[in-house]
Amino acid sequence: MKLIIQIPCFNEAEFIEKTLKDLPLQIPGIDQIETLVIDDGSQDHTAEISRQAGADHVLTIPHHVGLAQAYAIGLDTALRNGADIIVNTDADNQYLASGIEALVQPILAGQAELVIGDRGVASLKHFPPAKRWLQKVGSKVVSKAAGFFIPDATSGFRAITRDLALHTNVLSSYSYTLETLIQAGFKRARVAFIPVETNPDTRPSRLMKNVPNYLLFSTATIMRAFTMYRPLRVFTIISLFPTLTGLALGIRFLVYYFSGSGAGLIQSLILAAILLITGLQIFLIGIVADLISFNRKLLEEAVYRLRLDDTKQE
């Protein structure tokens, strides 16, 4: 059983050495532990310091692609290097490395395919009140989208099995945490959450620059992922407003018409027809999108088989 601990990095020369040195060297049930640093186009000496600190693999991306894509590239690299389990942690040493052993236990016991470290975001004292509130609300929204309870949706401290990693596709350029949870729910993967401890913040979050920025990108990520995996439900809900409004206006017109006072309400009838046609069109778009989603499933299966063959050849 081989574990690879991957660490996406962007200008983390100040913290990467300590992060690497804190990682466990032995874990019961794991035969081999390796470390993988993904240098996401850093402009400092992150890659050089990582090698000096003993990282087994250092992958340097020529230009900055963002956390989500760096995570995806890391998964692919770990798979090519024979990982049976992949643990992802932050380069700024946010998560206590001692928690990795607990993180992989549900996978080793065959109880989960994806294990997320739950920081207890509602009670983290070093999180500002606004950030704690956003994390709680965001976790509830993602729980609804994924179809299972998620206490900490934005935790990057996670362990994933080889097979689920092969099935994972990260399309977002912002963050992988929300999208991959919604994917896991759609694929009905077994997901577990375990409480983990964190170190005090060493620097401000690079993803959450400010509240409006965080809300904008997180909402877009959730909506995109939810629409991709449940298009018929999304478009049906959207179509309800014009359809119900059109029906209400149409019924109103008929009531006045049969009571003999419908003269002059032809505008309501026209508006009702427009709204009903619009609602029907949106619903039909949902049907087409749902049919396209079946094609996407076939493509995902083809990508999975290609990855499987590719990693077997490595």
Side-chain angles (χ1 to χ4, degrees):
M1 183 66 69
K2 183 176 183 178
L3 166 66
I4 292 184
I5 304 171
Q6 70 167 36
I7 311 172
C9 298
F10 178 61
N11 292 335
E12 297 288 3
E14 184 179 355
F15 308 109
I16 188 61
E17 182 176 3
K18 177 168 176 51
T19 300
L20 285 166
K21 289 188 179 301
D22 286 350
L23 297 178
L25 299 177
Q26 291 183 332
I27 293 176
I30 300 293
D31 302 307
Q32 187 178 358
I33 299 176
E34 294 180 1
T35 52
L36 165 64
V37 172
I38 305 102
D39 176 22
D40 183 17
S42 297
Q43 297 173 343
D44 58 6
H45 301 289
T46 296
E48 292 82 351
I49 293 174
S50 299
R51 292 187 184 93
Q52 293 169 7
D56 296 290
H57 311 279
V58 178
L59 174 65
T60 300
I61 303 172
H63 58 279
H64 183 56
V65 296
L67 177 60
Q69 291 306 306
Y71 171 81
I73 292 170
L75 286 186
D76 187 60
T77 304
L79 290 169
R80 290 173 181 271
N81 282 279
D84 297 297
I85 302 174
I86 303 167
V87 165
N88 185 84
T89 189
D90 283 1
D92 61 355
N93 207 29
Q94 175 187 169
Y95 305 100
L96 287 179
S98 57
I100 291 178
E101 181 175 339
L103 204 65
V104 301
Q105 288 308 312
I107 292 178
L108 292 174
Q111 299 169 349
E113 298 165 273
L114 175 65
V115 184
I116 311 293
D118 176 12
R119 298 165 293 178
V121 290
S123 58
L124 283 179
K125 294 181 179 180
H126 61 273
F127 272 23
K131 187 174 182 179
R132 288 201 299 268
W133 180 80
L134 282 174
Q135 296 280 6
K136 287 166 60 179
V137 172
S139 293
K140 288 182 179 179
V141 172
V142 179
S143 296
K144 291 290 185 182
F148 59 91
F149 175 67
I150 298 172
D152 188 358
T154 59
S155 174
F157 195 41
R158 51 181 57 197
I160 186 171
T161 63
R162 178 180 183 83
D163 189 68
L164 187 57
L166 285 165
H167 278 98
T168 298
N169 298 293
V170 179
L171 303 178
S172 172
S173 58
Y174 180 64
S175 174
Y176 60 88
T177 55
L178 309 179
E179 181 181 5
T180 51
L181 283 171
I182 294 172
Q183 273 191 41
F186 179 78
K187 297 179 187 300
R188 303 194 180 194
R190 291 171 295 162
V191 183
F193 294 85
I194 62 166
V196 295
E197 297 182 35
T198 60
N199 293 309
D201 286 345
T202 54
R203 56 166 174 75
S205 172
R206 289 173 178 168
L207 277 182
M208 188 175 175
K209 297 176 182 178
N210 52 61
V211 172
N213 174 272
Y214 177 79
L215 284 174
L216 176 64
F217 283 101
S218 296
T219 302
T221 299
I222 294 170
M223 287 298 296
R224 186 185 301 112
F226 192 62
T227 304
M228 180 180 296
Y229 288 99
R230 291 176 173 84
L232 185 57
R233 183 185 301 182
V234 171
F235 284 100
T236 299
I237 292 172
I238 295 173
S239 71
L240 287 177
F241 175 74
T243 301
L244 294 177
T245 306
L247 282 173
L249 287 173
I251 293 171
R252 175 177 174 270
F253 173 82
L254 290 174
V255 169
Y256 279 105
Y257 178 80
F258 286 112
S259 65
S261 56
L265 295 178
I266 191 66
Q267 297 91 338
S268 296
L269 182 61
I270 294 172
L271 180 58
I274 292 172
L275 288 171
L276 287 171
I277 292 171
T278 301
L280 178 60
Q281 287 179 330
I282 294 173
F283 178 71
L284 292 175
I285 290 171
I287 293 177
V288 173
D290 192 56
L291 293 174
I292 292 173
S293 74
F294 282 97
N295 187 53
R296 178 190 49 74
K297 291 176 187 177
L298 293 174
L299 290 174
E300 285 186 349
E301 182 63 23
V303 170
Y304 166 74
R305 293 178 183 275
L306 285 172
R307 283 178 175 171
L308 189 62
D309 291 340
D310 193 32
T311 54
K312 282 181 179 179
Q313 292 174 5
E314 289 290 330

